[in-house]
Amino acid sequence: MEATSFAEVWQDVFSVQPDPPQWLVIATGAATLVVVLVGGRPWRLARNVVTIAHEGGHALVALLSGRQLTGVRLHSDTSGVTVSRGRPDGIGMILTILAGYTAPSVVGLAGIVLLTNGRITALLWISILLLAAMLLLIRNFYGVLSVVGTGAMVFLVSWFTPAGVQGFFAYLFTWFMLFASVRPVFELQSQRRRQPSPHSDADQLDRLTGVPGTVWVLFFGLFDIAVVALGIWLLMFRP
């Protein structure tokens, strides 16, 4: 980014960039799908971004539903916890818990809306602002490290790289949020089978609604897969 004044920065951020070539859209989608499916160290590292979105979803809906947000913790095993105060039951609590496993795919879909309107730089800077807001809620060192590291990477790309690199990174990020939203749902059910815990999102929803936890896991999975299908259509097949 070559802007030297606030007005120029603002103009650059919200300017419309040309659509990237179709091969780049396909290549970034294929690359992120491989990372999600194969797993290993790249997935474990990138999964921290999914955790940030997951806990950010809890935090945002908690605030919107009138709950008092205490803080967010992110852990090195890619788990996290969002603590809020308020009624221990009711629609606000249900929606707060429901937001976690649906948030990453919603973030991906929001990214697609920006990308299909040519707002590549805007996507990157909105991500930076959201990460800065998330940082204010973090209550542990690893969480700070994770959020600051992610934000620094996005800033460096948005400020120091040409439009082509920004486009590549933006599509890579958006595809990843879409595809990566599904795998944690399978991990959740696998963990529920191996080590049942009353603290998982699905089991908390079970206690709050009387609907079995497995049904909530199925809902998470169907919701995220539906958003992935919509995202693929918007990026690949929409005229």
Side-chain angles (χ1 to χ4, degrees):
M1 186 178 291
E2 300 178 355
T4 57
S5 69
F6 179 79
E8 290 174 333
V9 171
W10 185 266
Q11 182 178 358
D12 286 345
V13 168
F14 289 97
S15 62
V16 176
Q17 289 84 30
D19 292 335
Q22 189 69 3
W23 68 262
L24 185 144
V25 178
I26 297 173
T28 51
T32 56
L33 184 59
V34 168
V35 170
V36 173
L37 292 178
V38 173
R41 182 172 296 178
W43 163 249
R44 288 194 297 272
L45 180 63
R47 197 190 187 289
N48 286 284
V49 181
V50 181
T51 304
I52 292 173
H54 179 112
E55 301 303 330
H58 284 316
L60 177 61
V61 176
L63 290 173
L64 292 177
S65 62
R67 299 182 62 81
Q68 181 182 357
L69 193 60
T70 303
V72 176
R73 291 178 177 270
L74 307 175
H75 303 136
S76 58
D77 63 354
T78 71
S79 65
V81 60
T82 299
V83 180
S84 62
R85 295 177 180 174
R87 284 186 57 182
D89 55 12
I91 187 64
M93 188 63 182
I94 292 172
L95 292 177
T96 296
I97 298 173
L98 194 62
Y101 281 97
T102 58
S105 60
V106 172
V107 170
L109 187 60
I112 289 174
V113 172
L114 290 170
L115 291 179
T116 53
N117 285 280
R119 308 290 182 174
I120 292 174
T121 306
L123 169 62
L124 299 177
W125 277 80
I126 290 172
S127 300
I128 292 171
L129 292 176
L130 291 175
L131 287 166
M134 184 73 171
L135 184 61
L136 299 176
L137 305 174
I138 298 297
R139 297 293 183 266
N140 68 321
F141 175 76
Y142 184 83
V144 171
L145 183 65
S146 181
V147 173
V148 170
T150 303
M153 179 174 60
V154 178
F155 173 77
L156 291 174
V157 170
S158 66
W159 192 265
F160 294 106
T161 65
V165 175
Q166 291 183 29
F168 177 85
F169 183 85
Y171 274 87
L172 199 70
F173 167 78
T174 301
W175 277 121
F176 177 75
M177 295 308 296
L178 277 181
F179 291 138
S181 67
V182 179
R183 178 162 178 162
V185 179
F186 286 92
E187 294 175 347
L188 169 64
Q189 184 60 18
S190 176
Q191 184 179 25
R192 291 180 72 243
R193 287 198 304 266
R194 289 184 287 104
Q195 295 178 325
S197 170
H199 303 298
S200 76
D201 289 3
D203 291 291
Q204 290 185 68
L205 287 168
D206 183 346
R207 292 196 303 275
L208 289 169
T209 65
V211 177
T214 303
V215 175
W216 286 110
V217 173
L218 181 62
F219 170 80
F220 294 147
L222 291 176
F223 178 90
D224 290 334
I225 290 171
V227 174
V228 169
L230 176 60
I232 291 173
W233 179 78
L234 288 172
L235 285 176
M236 301 291 295
F237 303 109
R238 187 175 70 93

